[in-house]
Amino acid sequence: IVLTGDQVVTCNGKILEKPESIEEAREFVAYYRTHPPSTVGSCVLTHLPSGIQVSGVDTATIYFAPTIPTDLVDQLVALQEPILSCAGGLMIE
């Protein structure tokens, strides 16, 4: 049995990849003030001998306060949070 999964972030009809720079991460966060992002997570469980698969998808929308601190990205970088390695600069666990 193999379990696979992934997550993407969508915002205002666009799929957001991992930010390519700290500046792009800042742009994402600024955009979240007025456009709530959503995470779309999926997983597939595969039984290898038979090829039978079971899958699921779940979506969660995150509503940020319009008062997100303008230095939030800098605070996260200072804490060594992996914002450049997460889709949309978000790590939702």
Side-chain angles (χ1 to χ4, degrees):
I1 294 180
V2 176
L3 174 64
T4 56
D6 202 3
Q7 178 176 296
V8 298
V9 174
T10 62
C11 189
N12 202 28
K14 297 179 185 175
I15 295 175
L16 300 181
E17 300 294 340
K18 296 172 184 169
E20 294 182 7
S21 65
I22 297 299
E23 186 54 40
E24 186 173 40
R26 285 187 187 105
E27 291 170 10
F28 286 170
V29 171
Y31 200 61
Y32 298 157
R33 288 183 181 108
T34 56
H35 298 84
S38 296
T39 59
V40 182
S42 63
C43 65
V44 178
L45 189 61
T46 304
H47 181 255
L48 293 177
S50 67
I52 295 172
Q53 293 185 328
V54 178
S55 61
V57 176
D58 189 50
T59 301
T61 301
I62 303 104
Y63 295 91
F64 288 90
T67 57
I68 297 173
T70 56
D71 67 339
L72 176 62
V73 170
D74 297 320
Q75 291 176 36
L76 294 172
V77 168
L79 294 170
Q80 298 182 342
E81 294 293 336
I83 77 170
L84 295 181
S85 61
C86 299
L90 295 174
M91 180 179 282
I92 307 298
E93 299 292 329

